[in-house]
Amino acid sequence: MSVALTLRGDSLSRVHTRPGRRGRGGTVAAVSDVSLSLEPGQRMAIVGRSGSGKSTLLRMLLALDLPDSGGVSYGGRKVEPGSLRSLRWYRRSVQYIPQDPALSLSPRMSVGALVSDPLRRLGIEGDHRGMTRRALAQVDLGPRFESRRRNELSGGQAQRVAIARALAIGAGTLLADEPVSGLDLPLRDETLELLHRLSVEGGMSILMVTHDLEAAARLCTDAMVMSAGEVVERAPISQLLSSPAHPETRLLLRSVPRLPTPLSP
């Protein structure tokens, strides 16, 4: 695994054009002057309701969207959208875990091929078969899974395959988009425990985007709450649970059926 470096977003802003009838559309500030710093080994959540701007922020951090102002850096090196070749260094270190991995996994490829494919695309040298098997073992999927296809996997297994793809290339930072929202409660807890273990044992940094404050509190130590494109509160997550300062945080907290028990630091 590569050594995790600091991922920074500095004063990021992004405006979206809103379509309208007869040319009466306008613009909406999807993200307004947002800054964050994800330190090596840190587990941070970006929490907010639909439309809060968290997905737009994530796309800028992934170098999929160019901010209208501000910038992204990793280890002090500027990051912005470009070709696979120009971003190869970044993709080797920072990987994306999608909300619904089944949609991003080709049904024509075996699990072994899915996990090894990024190694080829990113030009990583070495024993790809061995790297693939080690990554699958890290997510508790044995050799028998190598020949399986997407339609033979449960939702939890598909998510583990997505995580294994990041582990195989040695990424030190994971950006996870609602990684447990589509899973039932037992699989949800298993996935959060897996991500926690990878962070604690391997020093991996995790940035989780979610609307679910309970899931965020289970995995992460710190959080920032977004509303209407702005950060309205940021604090250790234990503080957000015990004494939320902003009405938006209190609203999110009301949707939590019970105070979660965080995984060990």
Side-chain angles (χ1 to χ4, degrees):
M1 181 183 296
S2 63
V3 176
L5 303 176
T6 299
L7 174 64
R8 291 183 57 88
D10 293 302
S11 301
L12 295 172
S13 294
R14 187 79 163 90
V15 174
H16 288 166
T17 301
R18 182 170 51 196
R21 304 175 94 184
R22 300 178 182 178
R24 294 178 181 175
T27 59
V28 58
V31 173
S32 300
D33 195 25
V34 171
S35 296
L36 64 87
S37 179
L38 181 70
E39 303 298 328
Q42 185 180 11
R43 300 185 302 279
M44 179 190 295
I46 302 173
V47 188
R49 291 184 289 167
S50 177
S52 62
K54 59 188 189 297
S55 295
T56 299
L57 176 60
L58 181 64
R59 288 184 60 83
M60 290 189 284
L61 293 173
L62 286 166
L64 297 176
D65 277 349
L66 185 68
D68 293 317
S69 61
V72 177
S73 65
Y74 189 69
R77 185 173 176 181
K78 186 177 181 180
V79 179
E80 57 184 17
S83 66
L84 175 61
R85 185 180 184 87
S86 67
L87 283 170
R88 184 172 287 170
W89 70 275
Y90 189 55
R91 303 296 184 218
R92 286 177 173 180
S93 300
V94 178
Q95 278 288 307
Y96 171 61
I97 304 299
Q99 179 176 350
D100 188 351
L103 295 179
S104 66
L105 301 177
S106 170
R108 296 185 297 274
M109 298 173 70
S110 68
V111 166
L114 287 166
V115 176
S116 64
D117 186 56
L119 296 168
R120 177 183 60 81
R121 289 177 177 273
L122 294 174
I124 295 175
E125 298 180 354
D127 175 12
H128 288 188
R129 181 81 179 274
M131 294 175 186
T132 296
R133 288 194 162 184
R134 283 192 294 274
L136 288 172
Q138 282 181 277
V139 299
D140 302 319
L141 295 179
R144 70 184 186 279
F145 282 91
E146 286 186 66
S147 61
R148 293 191 185 181
R149 307 279 172 158
R150 187 189 71 186
N151 63 349
E152 299 176 278
L153 302 175
S154 69
Q157 289 166 348
Q159 191 61 282
R160 286 172 184 264
V161 171
I163 296 170
R165 283 162 60 90
L167 294 175
I169 65 172
T173 300
L174 292 183
L175 305 187
D177 182 13
E178 300 276 10
V180 296
S181 64
L183 304 178
D184 60 28
L185 190 57
L187 290 176
R188 172 181 172 277
D189 287 345
E190 287 178 10
T191 303
L192 291 172
E193 288 168 6
L194 170 63
L195 291 170
H196 180 268
R197 171 166 57 83
L198 292 172
S199 176
V200 171
E201 295 180 359
M204 180 176 282
S205 307
I206 298 175
L207 183 69
M208 181 169 75
V209 170
T210 182
H211 70 281
D212 185 348
L213 189 56
E214 182 180 8
R218 287 275 291 161
L219 175 64
C220 300
T221 56
D222 303 279
M224 46 188 274
V225 179
M226 292 191 68
S227 178
E230 299 181 346
V231 175
V232 295
E233 187 169 3
R234 67 176 83 210
I237 205 154
S238 58
Q239 181 179 325
L240 293 184
L241 294 176
S242 62
S243 54
H246 194 274
E248 184 69 17
T249 311
R250 292 195 289 270
L251 181 63
L252 290 168
L253 190 56
R254 282 201 294 271
S255 67
V256 176
R258 63 183 184 279
L259 290 181
T261 301
L263 298 167
S264 59

